[in-house]
Structure formats: C-alpha cells, structure tokens
Amino acid sequence: MSKTVWEKLNEKEMEELMKFCEDYRRFLSSSKTERAFVTNSVAAAEKAGFKNISEESELKPGDRIYAVNRGKNICLFVIGKQPLTSGMNILGAHIDSPRTDLKQHPLYEKDGLALLDTHYYGGIKKYQWVARPMSLVGVVCKKDGTTININIGENPGDPVVGISDLLIHLSAEQLKKPAATVIEGEQLDLLVGSIPKKDEEKDPVKAYILDLLKEKYDIEEDDFVSAEIEVVPSGEARDYGLDRSMIIGYGHDDRVCAYTSMRAIFEMDVPERTSCCILVDKEEIGSVGNTGMHSKFFENVVAKLLDRQSSANLISLNDALENSRMLSSDVSIAFDPNFPEVMEPKNSAYFGKGICFNKYTGSRGKSGSNDANAEFVAKVRKVMDDNNVMFQTCELGKVDVGGGGTIAYILANMNMDVIDAGICVQNMHAPFEVVSKADIYEGYRCYVAFLKDMR
Ligand code: MN
Ligand code: MN
C-alpha cells in the first residue's frame, strides 16, 4: 500500500486530480460568503440536472432535487431505488467561514478618515486580520423590498479596504501584550476613505463616502441597519508549494468539504439509497439560527420528499432519519512541523494521506462530541477499502490542549449513525488556509463511495 495518495496515482488520475482541484480553486475564489456559495451551488446543480423541489410534485428513483433556505443553506437529493423510509446516505458540511461583519451602525469619521466598525464572526486570531487587503461582500436589504448585492474588492481593478496595525517602531508596549489582546475586537475597524466633501461642515469625509454609496448602489446610511456585509480577505485562492501540490485560500473551512460533497452528489445516477448533501450556515457560531444545522429546515424538506413519494407522517419521517447514515464533514488539522508540540503523531492527520475520519471530536474529555459507534466505523472502513479510497484517522490535537466541535451531534440527535470526516488544513481560521490537492481529490472519491455503497 502506498504511503500517500500521490504515490498511487497514475498519469491519467493525476490529470483528473489537478483538473478537479482547479475547478475547486475557482469555485472557492468566487464563493466567499455562505450566500455566494449557495448561489454558485444552485447554478452548478441546475447544470447537473437538479430541479427546485417546488417544481416536482411526484418523485421517482433518479430524480434530482434541491431546496434552498433563505439563500444561505441548501440541501440536494438524488432519489434512490429504496423508499426514503429505508434511510439516506447523507453528506453534510458548512459553508460559513470566520470573518468580520459590518456593525449595524458602522460608518463614522475620525481624525479626517472614514471608517467602518465591525464585529468578528467565529473564532479568529484578531492580529491575523490586520494590514492586508480586504473586500466587502454581501447584501443591503432596503425597506422597499429590494436587495442590493455588494461586492467591492474582488474584481481586478476594484479598490480594497483594510484594518491598520501599529508600526513596529512604536510597538514596544503593544508587543508585551498577550497575542489575544495585541489587536482587540473594537480595533477591527476598516479604513474606507480620506477625501473630504467640499463645503461640508460636519464629517466631510464620511459625507463623501455616503455620496459614493448613494451614487453607486442607491443606499443611504440607514440602510446599513438591514444589511449583511462581510469583510473577507481579498483575492483568489492560489496554487501553493513549488510543486503546486496544495491550495492556499480563504474559507477552506469548510467549503473544501462542502464543494467536494456537492460534486460527489452530482455524480450519482440512480443510487440504491437516496443520496443527500446538506450545506449549512452558522456552524462557526454554534449552528444556531434558522439557516444553521439546528434549524428545522432539513427535517421539513425530508417530510416534503416523503409526501411526494408516498405519505409523510411522524413515523415515516423518523424512519427516514433514523435509518440514515452520515458523513459529517468538517476540516481536520494537518500535522504542522512548525508546531509539533500540540499534536499526538500517531493520531494526527497528514497532508496527502487522504480523507480524515474523527471517531470523536470535542474537547476536555470528548465534551460536545458525537463519538461514532464502532459498528458504524467498521462499515465506513469497508466502503473505503472496497473503493480503494485512502483514509486516515485523527484527533483534534493532543488531549487537553484544545479541541473543537462540528454539526455531527445535531444529526446524531435524530438517531442516525454519524461520523466526522474531513479534509485536513493548515492555518485553520487564518485569513488564508492551506489544503493538499491530494486530500481534496481523495475526499471527493470518499464521498462518492459513501453515497454509492453505504448500506
Ligand atoms: Mn471552523
Ligand atoms: Mn469547520
């Protein structure tokens, strides 16, 4: 058996891998918010023959369906030969990523500069988000019911914005602080302008920016109250490493698992068990809200599918959920030779060794973990081996050093079998994260095998 995915590839497979990863790199570069990811997914799904659930009144094996929740959460299905009550093979991943968001009253002028105030989203090392080009991506919803899409900084030629850091020459005191407070939450304000509006007495620089917003987007200052504008690192994802074996980009956590899961369900023709792919929002802040995994949306969609297939009632819905099997996919930690002290080498993931299975995640004694049943782990192993998919098993670092959670436990609460699976990354939650192309491709192959062969 080869040690890495790279070594087992023939020339044709190597070509396929590079092509697949280039598709991913482009998709990731244009999907920097959960909304953008859903919009791009719908376009890709429709191209792959999926129809909106509202268009289908009856379902037969092989039918391809999707349902979107508020533009931030999507479920895709390929109907299987077996009835839905026999359960589905489910792939789940999240499409929100750490960032900072504009506050509801963001714009102010100070010392001749116009700034936008932000509140960060998810777990970030704040000092990593300063002194770099940032883009503003999102929506402004107006009282008249219209929604204006904002995307400033992503097109070549666009201006970018950013958060300043203190110059090294005057940082003696700042550098004595612990890293957690070197940059504090209220310092994450974006510099967005410095030209004063002529003949304007009060806050002329802010007035100049407001004029620009009015002219270009037809928005007023009050419209920020009903806006969702995310501040994300500017620029495309790039090939990484002299050998181009990796990709560096914003938001691999968890769009790398989401994209590969989506591509896997596109591959299904008429599966034995119904294939399902759930892509959710809000994982980074606890899977809360009506577009997060805790939302009833997924169960409601499954009930609708049952209704279009035979009859939906509480028992058939519970059967469909209880008999399902799931890969809850979220990124794992790639062993990093720069920081070996936090890892336990026997139970760590390594770049190039394929998809990672975490029997459990959690922290402080597996707290918050799903902890998959051994019987189910054995079934997953068999499907992987039968399909020649390379996998590794790992934990989120050394015991008692830290940890993290995923959406796995939420689906497990529906009494289905769930295991955490995912692609490993370096720099997790930094503005730019790194993944191995071999793991992207092997992750995709894992998901196809699971949808096709899990019983
Ligand atoms: Mn995360
Ligand atoms: Mn994640």
Side-chain angles (χ1 to χ4, degrees):
M1 179 126 168
S2 51
K3 289 199 188 86
T4 69
V5 172
W6 297 112
E7 293 153 283
K8 72 169 182 153
L9 299 172
N10 62 34
E11 215 170 294
K12 186 167 161 282
E13 289 166 330
M14 186 75 163
E15 236 170 72
E16 277 173 23
L17 176 152
M18 288 297 178
K19 161 93 178 51
F20 186 95
C21 289
E22 176 60 14
D23 289 348
Y24 168 61
R25 190 191 66 75
R26 285 167 193 249
F27 193 95
L28 180 71
S29 299
S30 64
S31 306
K32 292 200 176 176
T33 66
E34 51 288 334
R35 287 176 193 268
F37 197 105
V38 168
T39 304
N40 293 335
S41 299
V42 168
E46 288 184 347
K47 216 171 140 192
F50 284 73
K51 292 213 167 80
N52 192 304
I53 189 169
S54 60
E55 293 171 35
E56 297 286 309
S57 52
E58 262 174 58
L59 293 177
K60 55 180 192 313
D63 279 353
R64 300 157 89 78
I65 300 293
Y66 72 85
V68 171
N69 183 12
R70 295 172 167 85
K72 299 174 177 179
N73 162 209
I74 182 169
C75 297
L76 302 129
F77 300 86
V78 178
I79 306 301
K81 291 174 197 156
Q82 294 179 15
L84 212 53
T85 45
S86 312
M88 299 167 277
N89 290 345
I90 303 174
L91 304 173
H94 70 90
I95 53 176
D96 60 316
S97 297
R99 59 182 191 253
T100 64
D101 291 334
L102 294 196
K103 286 186 181 181
Q104 286 191 287
H105 289 291
L107 185 61
Y108 69 97
E109 174 170 341
K110 190 143 193 288
D111 307 321
L113 300 174
L115 295 109
L116 287 169
D117 203 346
T118 71
H119 194 141
Y120 64 96
Y121 173 98
I124 61 168
K125 289 180 169 179
K126 297 175 202 94
Y127 66 79
Q128 293 178 329
W129 294 72
V130 297
R132 57 169 58 249
M134 304 292 280
S135 300
L136 299 170
V137 189
V139 295
V140 178
C141 297
K142 303 216 301 177
K143 282 198 291 182
D144 63 7
T146 54
T147 293
I148 293 156
N149 282 301
I150 304 287
N151 185 333
I152 305 168
E154 288 298 295
N155 294 314
D158 274 3
V160 292
V161 292
I163 301 162
S164 60
D165 195 5
L166 189 57
L167 65 168
I168 181 70
H169 316 68
L170 301 178
S171 292
E173 286 307 311
Q174 183 199 35
L175 290 176
K176 287 181 195 157
K177 292 182 184 175
T181 58
V182 161
I183 299 289
E184 301 201 41
E186 286 296 352
Q187 286 175 320
L188 296 175
D189 292 4
L190 292 162
L191 178 56
V192 297
S194 61
I195 302 178
K197 183 178 173 179
K198 279 196 180 119
D199 306 321
E200 185 82 18
E201 283 296 305
K202 193 176 177 294
D203 294 342
V205 181
K206 176 181 166 181
Y208 193 95
I209 294 293
L210 282 172
D211 282 356
L212 268 181
L213 292 175
K214 177 74 187 162
E215 187 190 321
K216 194 148 193 263
Y217 299 100
D218 193 26
I219 53 178
E220 321 270 347
E221 186 171 11
D222 282 349
D223 292 328
F224 280 118
V225 167
S226 48
E228 288 176 351
I229 299 177
E230 304 182 9
V231 186
V232 297
S234 294
E236 291 207 344
R238 306 277 298 267
D239 280 354
Y240 193 68
L242 301 180
D243 56 4
R244 296 181 178 268
S245 61
M246 298 163 278
I247 296 177
I248 186 166
Y250 166 64
H252 285 311
D253 178 5
D254 184 33
R255 295 171 186 144
V256 68
C257 296
Y259 178 81
T260 42
S261 294
M262 179 181 77
R263 283 287 300 265
I265 198 169
F266 289 175
E267 283 306 304
M268 293 301 114
D269 185 20
V270 190
E272 196 56 35
R273 289 156 61 81
T274 292
S275 301
C276 169
C277 173
I278 311 173
L279 305 178
V280 287
D281 180 27
K282 298 284 190 285
E283 192 276 342
E284 296 294 358
I285 57 167
S287 297
V288 292
N290 54 18
T291 53
M293 195 65 243
H294 278 298
S295 164
K296 286 277 173 206
F297 176 71
F298 171 62
E299 283 168 84
N300 288 345
V301 171
V302 176
K304 281 180 196 169
L305 293 184
L306 281 165
D307 190 49
R308 283 156 169 77
Q309 197 172 58
S310 53
S311 71
N313 56 50
L314 191 59
I315 292 173
S316 63
L317 176 61
N318 287 343
D319 281 349
L321 297 172
E322 203 163 85
N323 293 324
S324 289
R325 325 246 185 272
M326 183 194 198
L327 294 185
S328 169
S329 291
D330 206 342
V331 292
S332 283
I333 313 164
F335 191 92
D336 183 346
N338 279 342
F339 301 99
E341 65 279 7
V342 298
M343 308 296 280
E344 192 269 278
K346 298 191 301 310
N347 291 287
S348 294
Y350 296 83
F351 272 164
K353 295 194 169 189
I355 188 88
C356 316
F357 291 112
N358 302 68
K359 185 174 181 300
Y360 43 85
T361 57
S363 58
R364 290 165 289 103
K366 303 188 180 180
S367 178
S369 169
N370 157 59
D371 208 351
N373 295 303
E375 291 86 345
F376 179 54
V377 182
K379 282 188 187 180
V380 173
R381 277 175 66 198
K382 177 157 170 33
V383 170
M384 295 304 122
D385 285 347
D386 288 352
N387 285 276
N388 192 28
V389 172
M390 194 178 265
F391 68 91
Q392 46 188 335
T393 60
C394 61
E395 296 198 10
L396 276 167
K398 269 185 186 165
V399 178
D400 283 344
V401 172
T406 65
I407 62 170
Y409 74 97
I410 307 163
L411 281 295
N413 283 348
M414 299 173 190
N415 201 24
M416 68 180 74
D417 270 313
V418 184
I419 183 167
D420 277 289
I423 291 160
C424 62
V425 314
Q426 275 191 0
N427 308 353
M428 197 187 295
H429 285 205
F432 288 92
E433 301 170 319
V434 178
V435 294
S436 157
K437 290 183 180 177
D439 299 332
I440 296 173
Y441 190 64
E442 206 65 355
Y444 159 71
R445 292 187 63 247
C446 155
Y447 299 143
V448 171
F450 182 84
L451 290 180
K452 196 163 56 72
D453 286 349
M454 176 49 68
R455 296 289 181 266

